[in-house]
Amino acid sequence: MTDKPIYVTQPALPPLEEFIPYLQQIWDNKILTNCGPFHQQLELALAEYLGVKYISLFANATLALVTALQALRITGDVITTPYSFVATAHSLKWNGIRPIFVDIDPKTCNLDPAAIEAAITPQTTAIMPVHVYGTPCDVEAIQRIAENYNLKVIYDAAHAFGCKVNGQSLCSFGDISVVSFHATKVFNTFEGGAIICQDAKTKAHIDHLKNFGFVDETTVVAAGINGKMSEINAAFGMLQLKHIDAAIAKRAQISKFYNERLRFVRGISILQDNLTHESNYSYFPILVDADYPITRDALYNQFREKNIMARRYFYPLISEFPMYRGLPSATARLLPNAKEISSRVICLPLHPHLEEAELEKVMSVIVECARKPVTKRAIRN
Ligand code: T4K
């Protein structure tokens, strides 16, 4: 058994020699950025792979979220989830928009449509839901609410690359969806991201916004930003696409292993049990229940002692960070499900390079802790 750290994730990397011809092309044509040939190729290839029409590549998903809000000219209040990575709410704050946090459905960990509807006021302009762990939001209910109240929907689909619901790409919903290609994601371009939108006009506007607002050499139509993906990242993306199906298949195998083994552990619940969508197996979140002998944080520490870097995604809640906790909607009493899940969740290591011995090591910590006597502290969790 190995003693090297077992990380919650590790990037899938193809053999280095496969990347050399791509680098050679960049060295030959000396186009390093500004929407060059690899950038154009990757946009087309991803549109086909994901089954979407309009896609605009970005340097990362955070800049893409910030730009998406600019593109739709969103102002005022936007309803969003406290149960996500901070970038979701930060993108609102960078646009001077007030995030309105509402509670999640404890089954999916995604925004509860009833809570969204109850939070709508005359100041509400949009909804920014997140498909957490690649689990689909209730896209139909959210669409109905958006139509009824004339709101825009910007999905933070950072985790949703390759996921499908009823055969349709999860990245194709809403006015805009934003996906991440960060090193820690299922499909990575080192850093990277993309906006997926519904029409050519919006894509053209987004393409201008990510390039300082330039339309041509002398025309600037908006106070844009520099959000472009570089050629080296786009070239890497082209290579990654060749390996993505194998990487997702390996992730599926590991998820199956955890599913089968954890089913028999008292006090552990599997969050993504009985999937009804086509998953990318990006995360394996479990919940530590009250009848597990030790608390979630005690289990986290046991993992650390064994050099297993499981992570508490998402704890703390975004609404608990200093720049948000003063908001009326950040009050814990209003977000009971998010608070509860955030205090019990832990994501197990899941990536294509994990070996069987490493998976056994993860399981042995969970099983050994399950045999400990129950403590009072654990019952209170
Ligand atoms: N919206 C949502 C819902 C998101 O989850 C994210 C990002 C975004 C928006 C924004 O997308 P980007 O702007 O990043 O494209 C990580 C990632 O940095 C972040 O991208 C991700 N969500 C978030 C869920 O996780 P940390 O602080 O946990 O990352 P870090 O550096 O601790 O990495 C986790 C583990 O991954 C490490 O223990 C080892 C491994 N790792 C990491 C990196 C960066 C590697 O093996 N190699 C690497 O290069 O945030």
Side-chain angles (χ1 to χ4, degrees):
M1 199 172 289
T2 171
D3 263 327
K4 68 179 197 285
I6 303 175
Y7 293 108
V8 69
T9 189
Q10 287 265 268
L13 290 173
L16 182 57
E17 58 274 17
E18 287 188 25
F19 195 40
I20 304 297
Y22 293 80
L23 291 175
Q24 189 63 57
Q25 280 190 57
I26 295 175
W27 258 244
D28 289 345
N29 67 22
K30 297 190 173 47
I31 304 293
L32 308 188
T33 186
N34 287 5
C35 308
F38 279 121
H39 185 286
Q40 290 170 33
Q41 278 174 43
L42 187 60
E43 283 194 350
L44 293 176
L46 281 175
E48 194 185 333
Y49 183 85
L50 294 173
V52 298
K53 271 199 181 140
Y54 300 100
I55 182 161
S56 180
L57 297 178
F58 273 77
N60 58 63
T62 305
L63 274 172
L65 284 168
V66 168
T67 308
L69 292 160
Q70 290 270 323
L72 298 177
R73 298 185 176 83
I74 306 294
T75 56
D77 289 355
V78 170
I79 293 173
T80 191
T81 173
Y83 191 78
S84 179
F85 187 63
V86 280
T88 311
H90 282 359
S91 71
L92 298 170
K93 214 159 169 53
W94 271 68
N95 276 291
I97 295 164
R98 184 166 71 147
I100 304 294
F101 298 110
V102 308
D103 208 3
I104 58 169
D105 173 342
K107 285 204 182 68
T108 61
C109 299
N110 291 327
L111 280 180
D112 173 0
I116 296 177
E117 192 156 11
I120 294 171
T121 70
Q123 282 70 48
T124 312
T125 54
I127 309 167
M128 184 180 273
V130 181
H131 304 294
V132 174
Y133 314 128
T135 304
C137 291
D138 188 340
V139 287
E140 283 176 14
I142 290 173
Q143 190 55 35
R144 260 197 313 274
I145 294 169
E147 281 167 15
N148 286 345
Y149 294 89
N150 196 22
L151 305 175
K152 298 283 186 198
V153 181
I154 301 104
Y155 277 106
D156 179 339
H159 302 175
F161 183 94
C163 294
K164 286 185 184 159
V165 56
N166 299 326
Q168 188 179 343
S169 171
L170 193 50
C171 300
S172 66
F173 293 94
D175 294 279
I176 279 181
S177 287
V178 170
V179 62
S180 171
F181 308 145
H182 183 261
T184 54
K185 297 295 184 288
V186 165
F187 173 81
N188 87 77
T189 56
F190 283 41
E191 289 267 6
I195 290 183
I196 290 150
C197 61
Q198 305 294 356
D199 60 85
K201 197 169 159 219
T202 308
K203 171 167 160 56
H205 184 43
I206 288 164
D207 286 345
H208 297 151
L209 282 176
K210 77 175 179 193
N211 188 27
F212 314 99
F214 273 111
V215 174
D216 58 37
E217 243 180 86
T218 52
T219 318
V220 174
V221 290
I225 196 149
N226 183 359
K228 292 161 280 144
M229 178 182 279
S230 87
E231 283 295 279
I232 206 157
N233 300 102
F236 191 67
M238 287 303 293
L239 175 57
Q240 289 286 67
L241 264 186
K242 293 187 180 170
H243 296 275
I244 186 67
D245 288 339
I248 292 176
K250 187 76 206 297
R251 286 174 171 278
Q253 265 177 26
I254 294 167
S255 296
K256 189 162 174 263
F257 168 91
Y258 282 141
N259 256 304
E260 286 171 2
R261 299 287 285 272
L262 286 166
R263 203 161 294 286
F264 303 103
V265 182
R266 187 174 56 96
I268 295 291
S269 301
I270 300 167
L271 249 178
Q272 291 181 308
D273 215 0
N274 301 320
L275 295 178
T276 54
H277 68 288
E278 211 172 298
S279 178
N280 60 10
Y281 307 95
S282 46
Y283 295 87
F284 200 95
I286 57 169
L287 294 182
V288 178
D289 302 332
D291 58 346
Y292 192 70
I294 62 170
T295 63
R296 185 275 309 271
D297 289 340
L299 177 60
Y300 171 82
N301 289 331
Q302 288 291 317
F303 277 137
R304 289 272 143 159
E305 276 180 25
K306 301 273 164 28
N307 228 358
I308 298 169
M309 308 300 172
R311 292 289 292 266
R312 291 165 292 187
Y313 294 134
F314 287 99
Y315 164 85
L317 293 175
I318 302 180
S319 47
E320 291 169 339
F321 288 115
M323 62 298 296
Y324 301 111
R325 65 178 167 227
L327 291 170
S329 67
T331 311
R333 180 174 50 80
L334 303 174
L335 307 167
N337 296 333
K339 187 85 190 142
E340 162 86 6
I341 300 282
S342 172
S343 71
R344 290 171 49 204
V345 74
I346 190 157
C347 286
L348 301 183
L350 174 51
H351 59 81
H353 303 302
L354 277 173
E355 291 162 15
E356 209 177 319
E358 293 175 311
L359 294 173
E360 291 292 351
K361 189 171 166 183
V362 173
M363 276 311 304
S364 72
V365 172
I366 299 172
V367 171
E368 273 164 33
C369 291
R371 291 197 190 110
K372 289 177 193 263
V374 177
T375 64
K376 208 168 165 217
R377 196 169 63 89
I379 294 165
R380 282 180 48 82
N381 213 15

